[in-house]
Amino acid sequence: CYMVLSSFFFCVMACLVYAGKLYEPGASVFVSSFIRLCVNFIFVMTHALITGEFLRILGDGRPSLWLRGIFGGFSLILYFYAVSKLGVSESSFLVGASGFWVVLFSPVVLKVKNPRSLWFAIAASLFGLYLLYTPHYQENLFLAQIAALCSSILSALAYLMIARGKGSNSAFTLV
C-alpha cells in the first residue's frame, strides 16, 4: 500500500514540475528541487514533532545514510531537468532504468554475487537502454536524455545506500 502511494505521489510531483515548467518556462529546476526539499522537510519535522523522535532523523551517522541523501538529491535535480525538457512520460520511463543499475552495481556496493544467468539479462538490458535512446534522437533533447540516464544511476546508488543502511537505521530515518 505504501509503495503504491509513494509511486502515486512521485507521479504527482513530476506532473507538478512539468506543469510549472509550462506555466513559467524560464523557471529553474533548482526552484522545483528547493520546493520539493521544503515539502519533505516540513513533513519530516512535523512527524518528528508529533512523535518526539528528533534524534532518529540523524540516524546512526554512517556515511551510507548521508550518501543516500546526496545521491537522491542530485538524482531529483537531474530528473526535474529531464521532466522539464522531455515531459513526464519519457523522463519517467528513462529514470525507471534504475533497477537495472541496482542489479549491475549490487555486487560491488552490497558484496552480493549475481548468478551467471543474470549477467545475460544485464547485457540484454543494456542493449534495451541503447534502443530507448536512439529511435528518436534529437540533438536538442540529448542532454535531457543524458540527465535522465544519470538520474537513474544516482537513484540506483541511493537505493543501494538504503540497503546498506537499513540494518542500523529505521525506515523513518531512511525516508
Side-chain angles (χ1 to χ4, degrees):
C1 176
Y2 291 117
M3 289 301 291
V4 173
L5 281 174
S6 174
S7 296
F8 173 76
F9 285 122
F10 201 81
C11 177
V12 168
M13 176 186 64
C15 290
L16 289 173
V17 167
Y18 187 68
K21 190 65 175 177
L22 291 176
Y23 180 73
E24 186 63 47
S28 168
V29 295
F30 294 110
V31 173
S32 301
S33 298
F34 181 73
I35 291 170
R36 199 264 187 193
L37 173 82
C38 290
V39 169
N40 200 31
F41 179 77
I42 290 168
F43 173 76
V44 169
M45 292 310 287
T46 302
H47 185 274
L49 270 172
I50 292 170
T51 61
E53 298 177 344
F54 285 102
L55 292 179
R56 284 184 57 196
I57 293 172
L58 300 176
D60 64 3
R62 290 175 39 201
S64 57
L65 181 64
W66 297 101
L67 288 172
R68 179 254 185 234
I70 292 168
F71 292 145
F74 282 116
S75 172
L76 271 177
I77 291 170
L78 292 171
Y79 177 63
F80 287 166
Y81 173 77
V83 166
S84 71
K85 301 295 184 190
L86 300 172
V88 176
S89 60
E90 184 175 356
S91 58
S92 296
F93 193 77
L94 294 172
V95 171
S98 60
F100 162 76
W101 301 112
V102 167
V103 172
L104 185 65
F105 297 148
S106 62
V108 175
V109 176
L110 300 177
K111 309 290 189 246
V112 297
K113 187 173 180 178
N114 288 338
R116 286 188 182 176
S117 59
L118 193 57
W119 289 107
F120 175 74
I122 289 171
S125 297
L126 191 59
F127 180 67
L129 280 174
Y130 168 77
L131 292 177
L132 284 174
Y133 280 90
T134 54
H136 58 283
Y137 172 79
Q138 295 176 1
E139 191 170 320
N140 61 328
L141 297 179
F142 185 67
L143 185 59
Q145 289 175 323
I146 294 299
L149 178 67
C150 291
S151 176
S152 72
I153 292 169
L154 289 170
S155 292
L157 291 171
Y159 300 151
L160 290 167
M161 293 302 108
I162 289 171
R164 282 174 103 184
K166 73 178 180 181
S168 57
N169 290 294
S170 68
F172 173 71
T173 302
L174 291 170
V175 171

